[in-house]
Amino acid sequence: MPRDTRPEVLVFDVNETLTDMGPLSARLEDIGLPGHLLPIWFAGVLRDGFAVTLAGGHAAFAAVARDGLRSLLARERPGTPDPGAAVDHVLAALPGLPVHPDVPDGVRALHAAGHRLVTLTNGSADTTRSVLDRAGLGDCFEAHLDVEGAGRWKPAPEAYAYALRTVGVPAERAMLVAVHRS
């Protein structure tokens, strides 16, 4: 009999894969930045987080995101009266982000099919939980993980190994679900 190759656990990336980052454009506009800079800022956050990881260091997602926004403000809007408050305004929107329209039906279908679902984010597990609970999907996921437990950002292998250890499955029984839009 052929071995069942269906993954037991689906590990979901969060930012962009599950969440719609689009509403952050309006927050950028609120602080005087053009909304079209959102993908540039977010790509910079990922680039800088990856670089810190590759250099053997560690930095929290919020700190990297904050530094990236401060740099963007300094370049695009020098003399912003209170850059800290402006950055806080943008980052405060993260827990309120919506999920993409196709996410609820897809997640529910996967859960109903018997897949174990977990999230793994470079961001915050608490933020992920907030977003998915608000979307009515909290009961579909058995765990929300972030890379703080691994001490290394994705895509470092340690981040994925941490997730696999946490859910107790070998790599061949898990599948990563990630979509990055540009």
Side-chain angles (χ1 to χ4, degrees), residues 86-113:
V87 167
D88 288 346
H89 176 71
V90 174
L91 296 182
L94 289 172
L97 289 175
V99 296
H100 292 290
D102 59 342
V103 166
D105 289 343
V107 164
R108 287 186 186 107
L110 290 167
H111 181 66

Side-chain angles (χ1 to χ4, degrees), residues 46-129:
L46 295 178
R47 178 202 61 223
D48 293 350
F50 297 165
V52 169
T53 292
L54 287 171
H58 178 71
F61 179 89
V64 175
R66 183 174 306 287
D67 288 346
L69 273 174
R70 280 183 171 276
S71 295
L72 197 57
L73 269 173
R75 185 178 72 233
E76 299 290 326
R77 301 278 303 181
T80 297
D82 189 351
V87 167
D88 288 346
H89 176 71
V90 174
L91 296 182
L94 289 172
L97 289 175
V99 296
H100 292 290
D102 59 342
V103 166
D105 289 343
V107 164
R108 287 186 186 107
L110 290 167
H111 181 66
H115 292 283
R116 294 172 58 198
L117 309 178
V118 300
T119 61
L120 176 63
T121 183
N122 285 325
S124 159
D126 289 339
T127 296
T128 299
R129 188 174 297 104

